[in-house]
Amino acid sequence: MSGIDRKRIWGWMFFDWASQPYNTLLLTFVFSPYFATVVGDATRAQELWGFGLTIAGLSVAVLAPLLGAVADVNGRRMPWIAGFSVLYMAGAFGLWWAYPDSDNVTWILLAFGIGFVGMEFATIFTNALLPDLGPRAALGRISGAGWAFGYAGGVLSLALMLLFLAENDAGVTFLGIEPILGLDPAVREGTRSVGPVVALWYAVFMIPFFLWVRERPAPKIERAGRADTLRESLTGLWRTIRRLPRTRSLFAYLGAALFYRDALNGLYTFGGIYALGVLGWSVVDVGVFGILAAVTGAIFAWAGGHADSRFGPKPVIATCITVLLLVCTVVVTISQTTVLGLPVAPRSALPDIAFYVCGCLIGAAGGALQSASRTMMVRQADPDRMTEAFGLYALSGKSTTWLAPLLIAVVTGATDSQRLGVTPLIVLFLIGLILLVWVEAQGESTATWSEPDPS
């Protein structure tokens, strides 16, 4: 890996470290289960959470390809990252006002959605910098190291929240103390502080990113006006969309990613709410579950990155989807009285242990899957339109972000059952695995991108 600017790579990886707490603390393990307390009913909270994520995901899906195309034309990504970072921090901070049994649920979901959109768009533009960080053979290791570093940040931030801030129903943290800084457990100020903590964490740890990451010079930015840039961006995006049916590998990969990333997001998003409602866990219990999942995620994201560099991303992706498909099948058989559909003794710890094991497997397979998916997108994309490609990747992913929550919300509402509500994830993983058959491991040939547009 000679000739690689390691400082620049570390700066790029600091984005993963800085942004991961939004996923770990807000989307999955602290705020998501706490949202049931805000609403006052776990089943209703799962339904509202699903519809809220649907709207936020659709917003990203609609705008991501266009903004990516604009960035490719004008050659600038860093200003976009800075702008969406502001949305990230503002939305996260707004969750401080998520009081228990709040009558302001709509505004709470709006704040979360603003932060979520900021995080997703910042990720698109940051991912598009990956191909410039090293030779193609090293990108798997770089991506895996970034995901592992991000998971480590998620673990540390989650541990700090559980030890010192997030209180359980008895008003104490995992250490058995009241939240520090004089926060009032009676109105859940310790848990509500997760929003400001996530915002501050991001602000501090994005400093290395902006100091150490530099873009290549972009001569077009001086020549093209805004109207010309938008026109060229729209033309190029439309050309890419029209070409998709002819680029079978890219088309199949975007479709596969749509379904399996959707299912993975559903696992992350609803895992905490599921455990709280079905197994009767507290926020602290869910947090411990999150630490185990994040630790295995960090380890296997790193290991998966090395496997990616050696064997390519496709076998890594296929293996991870298979593991997650089996885990989902097991999860829907777990309740306080059953494991794998078989009854257990009253007050048995076996359901909790089984769910913890599932959490570790979700973390392990999910970490390696996301890292390998990022490098697979680099292989499938037109090298000259990388941000646009990651915008299309976000489009598939955000069709994934809204589809799973919508299906879970609908099935949960129709069956009035949290366990049955997560069964759509099994189908989504299976579809993604099937579509992966048509994905070429090395991506489209260079000649494909130089072919004339379809008439």
Side-chain angles (χ1 to χ4, degrees), residues 423-434:
T423 54
L425 301 184
I426 298 173
V427 178
L428 295 177
F429 275 127
L430 185 59
I431 295 173
L433 188 61
I434 293 171

Side-chain angles (χ1 to χ4, degrees), residues 136-137 140 304-319 368 372-373 375-376 379 441-442:
R136 184 168 181 169
H306 283 262
D308 181 341
S309 287
R310 183 172 181 180
F311 304 109
K314 184 175 179 178
V316 176
I317 293 171
T319 300
S373 296
T375 55
M376 177 60 90
R379 293 194 179 199
Q442 299 301 322

